Structures are given as C-alpha cells and as structure tokens.
Amino acid sequence: MSPLSLDLLRTFLAVHRTGSITAAAQTLGLSQPAVTAQVKTLEATLDRPLFDRLPRGVAPTPAADELARRVAPGLDALDEVVAAELPSGEAVHLGGPAEFLSEVVMPMLAPLVRDGLRLRVTLGLSDDLLNDLAAGRLDLVLSTIRPRLRGVQADPVYDEEFLLVAAPGVGPSPEPLVAYAEDLPIVRRYWRTVYGRRPSMAAQVVMPDLRGVLSAVRAGMGVSVLPAYLCRRDLAAGTLVTLAEPEEAPINTGYLAVRSGAQARPAVARVREHLVRELRAARSF
C-alpha cells in the first residue's frame, strides 16, 4: 500500500465524517484495529496528528479539518465517476425507517420508478444509516434525528404526529401496553408532552416493528402510541380508536439528509427534490 493511497484517504475521511473509529469501521466494512492502523499510518506519513482521542469517539485536529477540506471533493467526485461506470451506478441508494419508507415514501417515489429510476432501499435506525451516508454507502437518508455529521447536509421535511390508540372496547386505561421497546421511547415522549410526566407502567408486549405493534393493538392486545400515518386507515375503518385528544399532539421532525457531493448525480438530485416537495406538501403524517 502506497503511503497516500486512496484507501488511507477514504478511511481518514470516514473517521472525520463520523467522528468515530468504530462507526467508520462499520461503514467501511473493516475491523476497528484496521481503521486505527490506517489512521496511524497516515498520521506517520504526514508527520502530524489528525485526531484527538476522546472518551467517546475522536475529534479532528486543525490539520485533519484542512486535509478533509482538500481531499473530500476529489474523493467524492471520484466515487461518483466510478459509480457511474458500474451497471447499477445510476441507482439511488436511499435509507430510512422501515415503517415510514414502506407506508409513505415508496408510494411517493412510484412515479419516478415508472419513469426509469433505479432505487435501492436500506432499512434501519437513523444513527446507523447516517454513518453509512457519511461514508458514501448511501446517497440519501430519511432520519428521525437531526444529523450532525461532517459532510452531511440535512433539511427538515416532515413531522410525525403520534396518537394514543386501542381497539374498540379496550381502555381507556393505558394498560396493558404494547410497545416498540422495553424503555418505551415513543410512549415516554407522548406521556411527557401530553401529561407532563413519565409513564409509570411497563410494557406487556414488546415488538421492535411499529407495524407489528399496530397489528397487536388492532387485535386487542392493549394500547399503544403510534404514528398517525400508520393508524389512519384503521381509524377511518373503526378498527382503532384514539384514547386521548390533546390540544397539541406530540410530533417528531424528520430530516432528509444527503451526502456532500452526491447531489452532483442527476438521479440523486431528482429524488431529493421530489421528496422535499412531496413531504413538505403533506408536512404532517
């Protein structure tokens, strides 16, 4: 490996963008020791430190910021050129939460797919997907958290509204509770916003898929807090009812994130513009 090989620079850029040796290793498909060794090799070659080690992650030195500023445009442009030569080069790689992409985003993209768009979709948690975005594995990510990664631009594009729901005849007690996770992240946020306190109950059913939670609630297993976009058909059909009508329903803002340089690809720019327009037109889900 030459001292300033593209592999060294790509690894450096992944660490700089993610702020973490571990996250860079995951997005590059390398081991953590391999990433550490490559960073040390580059530091030795340049004869200057590039990162300060922190209890959690790393912080770039001024030299690292300058190096990233110089090499990022060229590496991003090179990756785009290489991708354009591959059979699937024009495919747009989109990441996001499984439920929102399946229920909301895919129907929005149907016209573009019918018009020839090649689409590859990755489902997962926002933190993981944003790390993949920063490292160049994804072109666009719909994130439920505000991205704070170098080399990533993000715009707020929609709001998720949350409802306390149950099958008819179940409730109004908030137990038994069906939840997405043991620590009740969605329920906890709803309780704090609507009732001004933490929920005191524990989940009787836990399923890490909101569509599964919806199915369990619909079957009468208990109550839950779910995004409105998942519930609307059931509410209209009467198979679910709301158990509370707060003056202001809890919301969570969603962001559309793009990797710096990726918008140079016409297909990526087209999908981004289309989603920004469609999501902002609907605004709340």
Side-chain angles (χ1 to χ4, degrees), residues 46-129:
L46 298 177
D47 193 26
R48 64 188 64 190
L50 295 174
F51 299 101
D52 294 322
R53 276 60 178 178
L54 304 175
R56 295 186 64 181
V58 295
T61 64
D65 287 335
E66 175 64 15
L67 180 60
R69 186 185 68 81
R70 289 174 175 269
V71 305
L75 286 176
D76 287 340
L78 180 60
D79 287 342
E80 301 302 338
V81 170
V82 171
E85 297 300 321
L86 299 175
S88 61
E90 286 306 310
V92 174
H93 293 259
L94 172 68
E99 300 86 358
F100 191 72
L101 259 64
S102 299
E103 295 291 324
V104 176
V105 175
M106 296 306 286
M108 287 182 174
L109 292 176
L112 299 189
V113 172
R114 289 195 295 268
D115 198 36
L117 170 69
R118 300 183 67 183
L119 185 65
R120 302 293 182 267
V121 177
T122 300
L123 307 175
L125 300 176
S126 292
D127 282 328
D128 297 334
L129 295 171

Side-chain angles (χ1 to χ4, degrees), residues 8 46 165 178 225 228 275:
L8 283 183
L46 298 177
V165 295
V178 183
V225 177
L275 286 178

Side-chain angles (χ1 to χ4, degrees), residues 44-231:
T45 301
L46 298 177
D47 193 26
R48 64 188 64 190
L50 295 174
F51 299 101
D52 294 322
R53 276 60 178 178
L54 304 175
R56 295 186 64 181
V58 295
T61 64
D65 287 335
E66 175 64 15
L67 180 60
R69 186 185 68 81
R70 289 174 175 269
V71 305
L75 286 176
D76 287 340
L78 180 60
D79 287 342
E80 301 302 338
V81 170
V82 171
E85 297 300 321
L86 299 175
S88 61
E90 286 306 310
V92 174
H93 293 259
L94 172 68
E99 300 86 358
F100 191 72
L101 259 64
S102 299
E103 295 291 324
V104 176
V105 175
M106 296 306 286
M108 287 182 174
L109 292 176
L112 299 189
V113 172
R114 289 195 295 268
D115 198 36
L117 170 69
R118 300 183 67 183
L119 185 65
R120 302 293 182 267
V121 177
T122 300
L123 307 175
L125 300 176
S126 292
D127 282 328
D128 297 334
L129 295 171
L130 289 171
N131 287 332
D132 284 347
L133 178 68
R137 296 179 180 273
L138 295 172
D139 299 312
L140 296 162
V141 166
L142 282 156
S143 171
T144 56
I145 60 175
R146 181 189 291 273
R148 300 186 184 278
L149 295 173
R150 298 177 189 89
V152 171
Q153 171 192 335
D155 299 293
V157 289
Y158 69 94
D159 290 325
E160 288 180 307
E161 180 182 344
F162 290 93
L163 307 173
L164 179 62
V165 295
V170 176
S173 168
E175 298 184 74
L177 178 68
V178 183
Y180 177 84
E182 291 285 358
D183 59 347
L184 313 181
I186 299 174
V187 176
R188 190 171 65 244
R189 179 168 186 169
Y190 185 95
W191 244 249
R192 283 177 172 169
T193 301
V194 175
Y195 303 117
R197 57 182 173 84
R198 292 174 59 91
S200 59
M201 62 285 195
Q204 186 154 339
V205 178
V206 174
M207 186 171 185
D209 185 306
L210 292 179
R211 291 165 297 184
V213 173
L214 171 65
S215 179
V217 173
R218 187 193 296 126
M221 289 187 181
V223 308
S224 192
V225 177
L226 287 168
Y229 68 82
L230 274 181
C231 303

